[in-house]
Amino acid sequence: MSNESDLTALYPFLHGQPQSPERLDAALLHSVNEKARDSRETNSRFFDEQGPVLVAAAKALAHVYRRGGRLFSMGNGGSSCDASHVAVEFVHPITAGRPALAATNLVADLAMISAVGNDLGFEHVFVRQLLAQGKAGDALVGISTSGNSTNLMAAFAKATEIGILTIGLAGGEGGKMKSSGLVDFCLVVPTTSIHRVQECHVAAYHILWDLVHTLLADDRGSATTKGAAA
């Protein structure tokens, strides 16, 4: 179907045609199937292309935790919800036997964000928090569907200055996250559809969380084996 015929099928009353419930249901079901297909294909392409980057990011983040570092997360709008989700996953793991890992959501403190945004500008809302709380050896994950969020890029620049590991989740061509050289590991979803990008981001940070715990558990297993041998 062309875009025009799709719209005509979905919204016939806009084109002077009587609305048929059967035709509307069929068109809506077709839309569901097409979106689900696109989601599966985008997800598959993303992990085929970015799997090695995700593994490398997990190894680097596990190393941060081994050395007593913590994770910071940030994002705007819908991506701020993902930033919250990332922090919760690490602090409150739902899988039995997995320890809590230190993580701070930089979007959580609305008083801080509104104060900094009002006094200095919205581009500084994450930078100021990193200056107060971050230290060399920590990690920062930033989530943006475009990869161009000014406040994220400012925070990535400051993190690089401090010596903080940087991980970015973006979409499309990766935007400034990809081109700036400020992000150590940039995971780019190969589509401009915001919904498909967000769906892949959720899967990516769930897998990142799982891989980090797997790597840390392997460390604990190795230490136990060495202790028993001694």
Side-chain angles (χ1 to χ4, degrees):
M1 276 194 201
S2 68
N3 288 340
E4 176 121 10
S5 59
D6 278 340
L7 287 172
T8 302
L10 283 169
Y11 309 109
F13 49 88
L14 296 177
H15 300 269
Q17 299 177 23
Q19 185 172 9
S20 163
E22 294 79 12
R23 286 182 62 195
L24 178 61
D25 284 351
L28 291 172
L29 183 58
H30 172 73
S31 179
V32 168
N33 290 331
E34 285 298 293
K35 286 177 172 58
R37 177 190 56 75
D38 186 39
S39 181
R40 290 191 299 271
E41 289 178 356
T42 302
N43 191 280
S44 180
R45 275 187 62 203
F46 171 64
F47 286 106
D48 282 348
E49 294 173 4
Q50 301 291 296
V53 182
L54 188 53
V55 169
K59 287 180 177 178
L61 184 52
H63 185 63
V64 165
Y65 279 118
R66 284 188 199 105
R67 300 182 63 176
R70 70 186 301 113
L71 174 66
F72 296 94
S73 60
M74 59 180 181
N76 298 297
S79 295
S80 75
C81 299
D82 285 319
S84 299
H85 194 167
V86 168
V88 169
E89 291 289 355
F90 279 89
V91 172
H92 179 57
I94 58 170
T95 304
R98 290 190 164 178
L101 298 172
T104 298
N105 170 24
L106 298 179
V107 192
D109 191 339
L110 293 180
M112 173 67 72
I113 287 173
S114 61
V116 175
N118 182 61
D119 295 341
L120 299 176
F122 192 62
E123 66 272 23
H124 297 284
V125 295
F126 302 133
V127 168
R128 295 296 290 183
Q129 295 181 75
L130 277 183
L131 283 170
Q133 302 179 59
K135 66 182 188 306
D138 287 336
L140 173 67
V141 59
I143 306 169
S144 166
T145 54
S146 69
N148 289 317
S149 299
T150 302
N151 53 4
L152 266 65
M153 294 312 303
F156 280 136
K158 183 56 65 177
T160 301
E161 223 179 275
I162 294 170
I164 293 173
L165 174 77
T166 53
I167 300 171
L169 280 75
E173 298 294 322
K176 292 176 183 175
M177 270 195 200
K178 185 71 176 176
S179 64
S180 67
L182 295 171
V183 180
D184 297 313
F185 301 98
C186 190
L187 295 147
V188 182
V189 182
T191 179
T192 55
S193 166
I194 292 173
H195 295 147
R196 303 295 85 82
V197 172
Q198 290 173 329
E199 289 159 5
C200 288
H201 283 175
V202 173
Y205 61 71
H206 277 153
I207 292 171
L208 179 68
W209 169 86
D210 186 68
L211 292 178
V212 167
H213 274 286
T214 298
L215 290 162
L216 295 177
D218 284 349
D219 288 349
R220 291 192 296 274
S222 298
T224 302
T225 304
K226 286 176 184 173

